[in-house]
Amino acid sequence: MLKPQGYGTLSVLDAQNSGHMRMKPLTAEKTAVLASSSYFRGLGQVLARTDSAVVDQIADAIWQTYERARTVYLFGNGACAALASHFACDLAKGTIVGDRRRLRAVALTDNAPLLTAWANDSHYDEIFAEQLRNLVEEGDLVLAISASGNSRNVLRGLEVARAAGARIVGLTGYEGGLLRERCDLCLVVPSDNMQHIEDVHLSAAHAIYTALRRRMTQREGE
């Protein structure tokens, strides 16, 4: 008995001129390669249109927050939540150089009991706002990530941050949504492809981390 082919297997059974069954590759394999090439080509075009000067300005804003001994808070939903956690890890651990004072970065996406408690007892729209009420102070920096720019819980978090006197930075895409107009500084990825937007957000986070790490290293050598 023939075993069924697994998901993604591109082959056909060809018994022609043969006394047994043979596997023959489909041309769809070439199509898959072309599809990834097309994706990467499109991503490159989006990166070329992205305003790198804004990325540099965000790095400057985080550096200023560090110099003032304030804290960076990050949050978002879904893949943006994953990036908030990833970025906070890079900022809090990856920038450590010698015995220099460390950069304080906290992702509001990492405490599942607290997130679900606020979602259950209050409203999902409040999961970041309520955490910030405990934490954010004047001079802190809040970095909100929302590909659409219209996530209600992200926008509610910004209201609390603004009231506390924090600086607001955003990462978004499409046309920027409501997030764009509520930020002091906002990177809007010029694309309507969600995956490309998320890719550029991660690239921007890595570029910012690299710039901050370099500054830490330079200061250590002074």
Side-chain angles (χ1 to χ4, degrees), residues 2 11 17 31 48 56 65 91 95 116 144 149 155 170 180 183 198 207 209:
L2 292 173
S11 60
N17 300 320
T31 304
D56 294 338
T65 303
L91 293 176
T95 59
T116 54
L155 298 174
R180 181 178 196 166
C183 291
E198 292 171 354
Y209 155 75

Side-chain angles (χ1 to χ4, degrees), residues 1 7 17 24 27 37 42 49 56 58 74 84 88 95 99 116-117 123 127 145 171 185 190 202 214 219:
M1 178 180 295
Y7 176 79
N17 300 320
K24 181 179 179 180
T27 56
S37 297
R49 296 196 304 270
D56 294 338
I58 295 174
L74 308 92
T95 59
D99 294 328
T116 54
H123 195 284
I127 61 173
I145 311 170
L171 301 181
L185 188 58
L202 178 57
R214 184 170 296 130
R219 288 178 62 111

Side-chain angles (χ1 to χ4, degrees), residues 3-214:
K3 294 176 65 177
Q5 299 300 310
Y7 176 79
T9 301
L10 301 174
S11 60
V12 293
L13 295 172
D14 180 12
Q16 195 173 41
N17 300 320
S18 172
H20 61 278
M21 306 295 261
R22 293 187 293 111
M23 304 302 291
K24 181 179 179 180
L26 282 175
T27 56
E29 290 180 350
K30 295 181 180 179
T31 304
V33 172
L34 290 173
S36 30
S37 297
S38 176
Y39 180 87
F40 291 130
R41 184 166 55 252
L43 175 59
Q45 292 168 354
V46 175
L47 281 165
R49 296 196 304 270
T50 299
D51 191 347
S52 60
V54 175
V55 178
D56 294 338
Q57 291 167 20
I58 295 174
D60 287 340
I62 295 175
W63 183 252
Q64 291 163 12
T65 303
Y66 166 76
E67 288 190 315
R68 295 167 184 159
R70 306 310 304 167
T71 304
V72 179
Y73 296 102
L74 308 92
F75 52 92
N77 295 286
C80 296
L83 178 56
S85 296
H86 180 154
F87 201 1
C89 177
D90 283 348
L91 293 176
K93 183 179 184 299
T95 59
I96 295 172
V97 176
D99 294 328
R100 295 207 67 85
R101 179 172 54 81
R102 298 182 179 188
L103 193 159
R104 296 200 299 262
V106 178
L108 303 184
T109 50
D110 290 345
N111 190 330
L114 188 57
L115 286 167
T116 54
W118 280 120
N120 184 67
D121 299 340
S122 179
H123 195 284
Y124 192 76
D125 289 355
E126 302 297 319
I127 61 173
F128 302 128
E130 291 294 353
Q131 290 188 74
L132 285 170
R133 287 191 176 97
N134 287 50
L135 301 168
V136 70
E137 297 180 347
E138 185 175 0
D140 288 338
L141 186 145
V142 167
L143 200 158
I145 311 170
S146 171
S148 70
N150 293 314
S151 300
R152 288 182 295 181
N153 54 10
V154 170
L155 298 174
R156 283 287 297 125
L158 297 189
E159 292 176 16
V160 173
R162 180 68 69 194
R167 190 172 189 180
I168 298 175
V169 172
L171 301 181
T172 185
Y174 298 94
E175 299 298 321
L178 296 173
L179 179 68
R180 181 178 196 166
E181 62 193 46
R182 302 186 187 187
C183 291
D184 300 309
L185 188 58
C186 189
L187 175 67
V188 181
V189 177
S191 175
D192 59 3
N193 182 310
M194 181 66 78
Q195 284 65 50
H196 284 167
I197 293 168
E198 292 171 354
D199 289 337
V200 176
H201 283 172
L202 178 57
S203 295
H206 283 162
I208 292 164
Y209 155 75
T210 301
L212 294 170
R213 170 76 185 185
R214 184 170 296 130

